[in-house]
Amino acid sequence: MPHARAPQLSRRSLLTAGGALGLGALLTACGSGDSSGSGTSSGTSGPWTFKDDRGTTVRTDSTPRNIVAFTGTAAALHDYGIEVKGVFGPTRTKDGKPDVQAGSLDIGKLTSLGNTFGKFNVEKYAALSPELLVSSMFIKDALWYVPEESKDKILKLAPSVGLMVAHASLPEPLRRHAELAESLGADLRAKKVTDARARFERAAAAVREAAESNPGIKVLAGSGSADLFYVSTPAPSADLRYFKELGVDVVVPDKPDKQGFFESLSWENADRYEADVILLDNRTSALQPEALTSKPTWNKLPAVKAGQVVPRVTEPIFSYAACAPILEDLAKVIRDAKKVS
């Protein structure tokens, strides 16, 4: 989901597309491999281990409590009752409100180490006495929002865990985030958690039913910047891949970028793909519908003229509680959509 902002590709370009994921700049952070089980913990005392998606097995003398995480990862852990001390990544908007990626976090209680890509205050991080750093990975061994230029200093201060959130269907990163939360002390049998999972499963069934009852609706996942319109590729995007598995006809771009996350189109060519519904990147780094009205090609798109443009949670918070509403909204969109392309 590389593409935090949108313009180039390399590291910075991954951020924008969201399916085009949104990797604005790809950060890397590696760990040393090891073998072991997925995760174990004795609760409040005793050794803790967790094997992450780099193949690295993290071992500590006790379950980490001073946790620092990428904002979206922290929001997922929060949904399981696991709190962090600090976050890095989009947390506050320019007007001070919680960013969409903060989920239900109480951002006023958290130390922010950096709100934008490439910003990570190492001194603040050290002052938190971190026992564990956790982040997503869109590319193996690349910890999202951990800057390449300072990653060596950062990773020396505490063990790190990377969870892969790309090139797999949505249920897989959901499972892995739940496993990490459980290893850190979450009760996956708690009613709040089981209710959220049941809601997610009902919502998935609703999407499948909607796709079957209203066939032929083409859905395009896009993200807008000043110069380019990004069309996301379903295969590497956990959400879009799952939507396709549920029967949604998601547009697949012909010429994706080198990493395969999205195709970059000039605004003159923004109508390259037919679509009845546009799922538009809802991140603060991407242009929203009101800002896109100045683009003539945008205004001419059938989905835009039909009013069938809806927000896309481009970087999902990987908890059942956060993802169930995404599927519920999608089911309604597909049920109500009219064929306009």
Side-chain angles (χ1 to χ4, degrees):
M1 159 120 306
H3 156 229
R5 290 192 56 178
Q8 309 113 296
L9 212 203
S10 46
R11 288 193 275 206
R12 245 165 233 262
S13 102
L14 271 176
L15 282 165
T16 287
L21 275 140
L23 269 145
L26 245 191
L27 340 161
T28 49
C30 307
S32 54
D34 196 310
S35 62
S36 174
S38 178
T40 61
S41 169
S42 58
T44 57
S45 63
W48 178 83
T49 67
F50 186 84
K51 186 173 183 179
D52 77 358
D53 293 336
R54 296 171 297 183
T56 299
T57 297
V58 181
R59 293 186 174 89
T60 59
D61 292 337
S62 60
T63 303
R65 289 291 174 255
N66 288 356
I67 303 169
V68 173
F70 170 66
T71 305
T73 309
L77 292 174
H78 171 78
D79 286 346
Y80 289 107
I82 303 300
E83 306 300 340
V84 305
K85 292 190 68 174
V87 293
F88 53 93
T91 306
R92 294 179 185 273
T93 59
K94 291 180 180 179
D95 59 5
K97 295 179 180 179
D99 189 274
V100 293
Q101 296 187 59
S104 56
L105 288 172
D106 184 347
I107 61 174
K109 294 182 178 180
L110 299 171
T111 298
S112 173
L113 306 179
N115 200 59
T116 58
F117 194 81
K119 302 296 183 182
F120 190 112
N121 191 312
V122 181
E123 290 71 26
K124 272 190 178 182
Y125 178 56
L128 291 174
S129 301
E131 297 172 337
L132 182 68
L133 180 146
V134 188
S135 190
S136 301
M137 296 188 299
F138 291 98
I139 294 177
K140 193 173 186 294
D141 296 338
L143 297 181
W144 197 219
Y145 270 78
V146 176
E148 172 67 21
E149 58 272 18
S150 56
K151 73 179 178 67
D152 291 341
K153 290 181 180 179
I154 293 168
L155 297 180
K156 286 179 180 177
L157 294 172
S160 62
V161 162
L163 296 178
M164 197 70 180
V165 297
H167 301 285
S169 185
L170 184 57
E172 178 60 14
L174 284 173
R175 179 183 68 82
R176 291 293 284 147
H177 281 71
E179 287 180 348
L180 175 61
E182 183 177 38
S183 78
L184 293 169
D187 180 5
L188 299 190
R189 293 171 296 282
K191 187 176 187 302
K192 178 181 177 181
V193 176
T194 58
D195 284 353
R197 180 159 187 170
R199 180 182 175 186
F200 174 85
E201 292 170 349
R202 289 194 301 272
V207 172
R208 190 182 297 280
E209 292 168 4
E212 291 174 351
S213 65
N214 193 10
I217 298 298
K218 290 185 175 296
V219 176
L220 181 148
S223 181
S225 72
D227 301 316
L228 297 170
F229 183 57
Y230 301 86
V231 178
S232 298
T233 307
S237 303
D239 60 336
L240 300 181
R241 179 184 285 215
Y242 191 49
F243 298 169
K244 282 186 69 68
E245 291 173 358
L246 294 174
V248 178
D249 186 0
V250 182
V251 171
V252 180
D254 298 328
K255 300 177 181 179
D257 65 286
K258 189 174 181 180
Q259 283 85 3
F261 287 102
F262 55 88
E263 180 175 353
S264 305
L265 300 174
S266 65
W267 278 108
E268 291 77 10
N269 296 309
D271 58 354
R272 177 181 176 88
Y273 300 103
E274 293 185 348
D276 304 296
V277 173
I278 294 176
L279 302 181
L280 190 68
D281 189 350
N282 76 336
R283 290 171 302 167
T284 52
S285 59
L287 296 183
Q288 299 307 303
E290 59 274 15
L292 293 174
T293 57
S294 63
K295 308 292 185 184
T297 312
W298 169 259
N299 296 321
K300 294 178 182 178
L301 296 176
V304 175
K305 291 195 290 185
Q308 295 184 161
V309 177
V310 296
R312 176 194 173 200
V313 182
T314 302
E315 290 189 48
I317 293 167
F318 291 100
S319 71
Y320 294 105
C323 287
I326 294 174
L327 294 181
E328 290 169 347
D329 291 345
L330 178 64
K332 184 178 187 308
V333 166
I334 299 299
R335 276 197 306 269
D336 297 345
K338 293 179 173 57
K339 184 72 179 171
V340 295
S341 65

